């Protein structure tokens, strides 16, 4: 890399790769630097090997993200067209499930009416709240995935209806989570489980908005999909397109100081704001440090000898399970984590991909099970005992199926992805203010220093496998730094340009 590149991107997560693809398609010379041996950042699938499970078993683990719920309705991925590039999204019958005591469970089927029927007395209320959101899922996604600085494009009437439905749902859940609205624990816990994706106190405006957005996607045709063969196929498709347009990816190249950055007209940082701050001088460093750190996760990669034995067999129909019990129990657990304490009964997100994708089964029938447990930021604790106690509550006999488990405490998450310091997988604290003002209050949240841009989850629209932070940033770089007024088409095999 002796010559000066147009753009050097630090970090090969989905936002960094989305930006790199756009910039390379615009005719710029682009280099992506990745500190890990493989590209993809938080969207990678690697061999699952333990002391008891050999590589020859053929198991894969999704290193960070596992269920790209935001991808199907992301404007970036909609145009990039994953299916045309050989990436198959598998859509389970149910998007998510919430197991409860006594062998019960709340099930959010993709089919809204099927969900309504199962919820009984709360069914009509569920339809009134989630129906308008799911009907306008694309518009809800456009609002949620915007740069929070401009009006999303789309049919004005549909956008207005989506905005009204989103506001109504968020307002209802922001204060009491609609405790007086719902009559069944199944409905209350379904809302609470999806809101807990924020890894923050419940209730809150940000958690309510997240529940509304992800709830809309759950009942959309694409649901919350899995990726056949592992989520890493998405990154592979992005890298292939980048290479096809003259870009390059250099792995095993950590960037810990400005000395590690090769010369370029523009540097793009696709990493946590706190990590990016270490690469900048004052006053830019202090500005990035305005974004508070979020709570952490402990990652558990299980190898099981059979499917998770849920007490309610309908739970297996969901691609994602939220483990936390009742809404009151989840509130208590998340309050502990927010206060810096380990919850006795932590909130856990789980996925058993082999239930929907037989290519994830090992040669002898073993299966990987992915799980995140919410813990305080920087936790060094192995919470496997607490997680398994939770799972035994709702899936009796789970422990009997465990062959082995790889545990990555929050304090070690950055070993696998530098963008996750202390296990903060959300790129910073999730609150309504910090969803808009991330990494800090600014008209342009992506330009962080002269010639330096940020496009990670620490910028709008925030967490998720959507690539839109990269899109919003790339649009600004093209116009401001290279005087290119249009972004290129992302369609496969296309080199035509489309107007912004």
């Amino acid at each position: 890399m002796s010559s000066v590149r147009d753009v050097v991107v630090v970090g090969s997560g989905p936002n960094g790769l989305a930006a790199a693809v756009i910039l390379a398609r615009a005719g710029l010379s682009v280099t992506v630097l990745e500190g890990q041996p493989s590209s993809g950042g938080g969207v990678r699938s690697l061999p699952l090997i333990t002391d008891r499970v050999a590589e020859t078993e053929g198991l894969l683990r999704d290193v960070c993200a596992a269920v790209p719920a935001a991808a199907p309705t992301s404007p970036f991925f909609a145009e990039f067209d994953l299916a045309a590039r050989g990436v198959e999204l598998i859509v389970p019958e149910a998007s998510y499930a919430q197991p409860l005591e006594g062998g019960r469970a709340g099930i959010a089927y993709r089919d809204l009416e099927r969900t309504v029927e199962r919820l009984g007395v709360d069914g009509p209320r569920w339809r009134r709240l989630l129906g308008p959101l799911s009907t306008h899922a694309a518009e809800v996604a456009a609002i949620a995935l915007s740069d929070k600085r401009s009006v999303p494009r789309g049919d004005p009437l549909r956008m207005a209806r989506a905005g009204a439905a989103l506001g109504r749902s968020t307002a209802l859940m922001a204060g009491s989570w609609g405790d007086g609205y719902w009559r069944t624990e199944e409905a209350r816990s379904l809302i609470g489980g999806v809101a807990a994706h924020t890894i923050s106190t419940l209730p809150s405006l940000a958690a309510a908005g997240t529940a509304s957005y992800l709830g809309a996607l759950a009942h959309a045709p694409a649901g919350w999909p899995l990726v056949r063969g592992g989520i890493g196929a998405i990154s592979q498709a992005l890298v292939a397109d980048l290479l096809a347009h003259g870009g390059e990816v250099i792995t095993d190249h950590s960037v810990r100081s400005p000395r590690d950055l090769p010369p370029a007209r523009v540097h793009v940082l696709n990493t946590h704001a706190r990590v990016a701050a270490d690469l900048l001088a004052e006053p830019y460093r202090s500005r990035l440090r305005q974004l508070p750190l979020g709570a952490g996760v402990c990652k558990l990669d299980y190898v099981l000898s059979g499917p998770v034995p849920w007490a309610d067999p309908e739970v297996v129909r969901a691609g994602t399970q939220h483990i936390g019990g009742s809404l009151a129990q989840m509130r208590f657990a998340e309050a502990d984590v927010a206060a810096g304490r380990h919850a006795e009964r932590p909130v856990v997100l789980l996925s058993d991909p082999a239930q929907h994708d037989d290519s994830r089964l090992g040669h002898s029938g073993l299966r990987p099970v992915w799980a995140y447990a919410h813990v305080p930021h920087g936790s060094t604790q192995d919470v496997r005992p607490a997680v398994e106690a939770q799972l035994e509550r709702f899936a009796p006999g789970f422990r009997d199926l465990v062959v082995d488990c790889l545990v990555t405490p929050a304090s070690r998450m950055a070993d696998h992805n530098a963008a996750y310091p202390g296990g903060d997988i959300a790129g910073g604290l999730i609150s309504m203010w910090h969803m808009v003002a991330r990494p800090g209050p600014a008209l342009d949240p992506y330009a962080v220093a002269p010639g330096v841009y940020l496009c990670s989850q620490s910028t709008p629209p925030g967490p998720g496998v959507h690539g839109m932070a990269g899109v919003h940033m790339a649009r600004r770089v093209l116009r401001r730094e290279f005087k290119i007024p249009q972004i290129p088409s992302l369609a496969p095999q296309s080199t035509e340009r489309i107007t912004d």
Side-chain angles (χ1 to χ4, degrees):
M1 271 191 304
S2 57
S3 61
V4 176
R5 306 289 282 174
D6 290 322
V7 181
V8 167
V9 179
V10 178
S12 65
N15 286 310
L17 289 177
V21 162
I22 291 170
L23 297 172
R25 279 176 168 254
L28 304 178
S29 57
V30 180
T31 294
V32 178
L33 305 178
E34 172 55 55
Q36 295 293 319
S38 58
S39 57
V43 180
R44 284 180 295 154
S45 301
L46 297 177
L48 176 50
I49 305 168
T50 77
D51 292 339
R52 300 178 181 176
V53 180
E55 185 172 5
T56 54
E57 179 65 25
L59 292 179
L60 289 177
R61 65 187 182 101
D62 294 320
V63 177
C64 300
V67 182
T73 51
S74 161
F76 170 76
F77 282 116
E79 186 178 352
F80 188 74
D81 195 349
L82 289 169
R85 300 168 188 274
V87 179
E88 181 182 351
L89 299 183
I90 299 171
V91 187
E93 290 180 64
S95 294
Y96 63 96
Q98 182 87 16
L100 296 168
E101 302 277 12
R104 299 177 297 136
I107 311 289
Y109 298 100
R110 272 191 306 121
D111 184 339
L112 177 64
E113 291 307 312
R114 188 175 176 185
T115 308
V116 166
E117 181 180 356
R118 182 178 172 99
L119 285 174
V121 67
D122 274 333
R125 293 177 175 82
W126 192 270
R127 183 193 293 114
R128 285 196 295 271
L129 188 69
L130 277 299
L133 289 170
S134 60
T135 299
H136 296 88
E139 290 76 20
V140 169
I143 295 170
L145 300 180
S146 73
D147 63 4
K148 309 298 187 287
R149 304 295 189 279
S150 57
V151 178
R153 299 181 65 183
D155 178 84
L157 181 58
R158 290 188 61 85
M159 292 298 294
R161 289 174 175 169
L166 189 59
R168 184 168 57 251
S169 174
T170 301
L172 172 69
M173 294 187 287
S176 65
W177 290 108
D179 284 0
Y181 185 75
W182 306 113
R183 298 182 184 178
T184 66
E185 191 57 56
E186 284 82 352
R188 279 191 293 269
S189 66
L190 276 177
I191 291 294
V194 73
H197 281 249
T198 56
I199 322 180
S200 62
T201 55
L202 303 176
S204 71
L205 271 173
T210 298
S212 299
Y213 163 55
L214 291 178
L217 302 187
H219 296 301
W224 292 8
L226 302 170
V227 181
R228 184 173 296 281
I231 199 169
I234 292 178
S235 296
Q236 292 171 9
L238 289 167
V239 169
D241 190 86
L242 172 63
L243 299 180
H245 289 85
E248 63 177 342
V249 179
I250 300 177
T251 55
D252 286 314
H253 187 120
S254 296
V255 177
R256 296 188 174 91
S257 75
R259 294 188 299 274
D260 299 321
L261 283 170
R265 294 175 63 183
V266 171
H267 288 99
V268 171
L269 308 179
N270 176 35
T271 191
H272 197 289
R274 294 296 187 94
V275 176
D278 293 338
L279 303 176
L280 303 178
E282 296 292 358
Y284 312 110
R285 176 179 298 180
S286 294
R287 292 175 186 169
L288 286 187
R289 287 178 174 167
Q290 293 179 73
L291 180 61
L293 290 163
V297 297
C298 177
K299 172 74 183 306
L300 300 100
D301 288 296
Y302 279 100
V303 178
L304 301 188
S305 59
V308 179
W310 302 109
D312 183 338
E314 278 296 291
V315 173
V316 302
R317 301 185 185 277
T320 301
Q321 287 81 27
H322 300 142
I323 316 301
S326 69
L327 176 57
Q329 290 167 340
M330 284 189 291
R331 281 177 174 170
F332 189 79
E334 296 294 75
D336 271 346
V337 170
R341 300 185 297 267
H342 287 89
E344 180 181 357
R345 289 179 164 181
V347 172
V348 179
L349 274 64
L350 182 142
S351 182
D352 180 0
Q355 190 66 43
H356 311 277
D357 175 10
D358 57 10
S359 76
R360 299 298 298 272
L361 289 170
H363 297 311
S364 68
L366 299 181
R367 61 205 297 134
V369 170
W370 172 102
Y372 271 162
H374 294 177
V375 297
H377 180 88
S379 166
T380 60
Q381 188 167 317
D382 176 350
V383 296
R384 178 180 170 185
V387 168
E388 291 183 6
Q390 279 283 68
L391 287 165
E392 283 288 332
R393 292 173 64 198
F394 311 111
F398 175 85
R399 287 193 184 98
D400 297 335
L401 299 175
V402 175
V403 175
D404 211 346
C405 181
L406 290 180
V407 179
T408 307
S411 60
R412 303 299 302 272
M413 287 293 289
D415 294 354
H416 304 282
N417 189 341
Y420 296 160
D424 179 4
I425 63 172
L429 180 70
I430 300 296
S431 70
M432 190 57 75
W433 170 247
H434 288 112
M435 287 299 288
V436 176
R438 15 187 347 108
L443 289 177
D444 186 348
Y446 309 98
V448 295
V452 182
Y453 291 78
L454 186 68
C455 71
S456 67
Q457 297 187 131
S458 295
T459 61
V465 182
H466 44 64
M468 289 304 295
V471 173
H472 299 315
M473 186 282 307
R475 180 178 293 119
R476 288 162 168 80
V477 166
L478 287 175
R479 288 176 172 172
R480 185 178 302 159
E481 305 289 346
F482 298 98
K483 311 306 178 187
I484 299 175
Q486 300 174 336
I487 62 172
S489 169
L490 299 173
Q493 308 301 321
S494 174
T495 57
E496 299 177 1
R497 293 187 175 181
I498 58 174
T499 56
D500 183 8

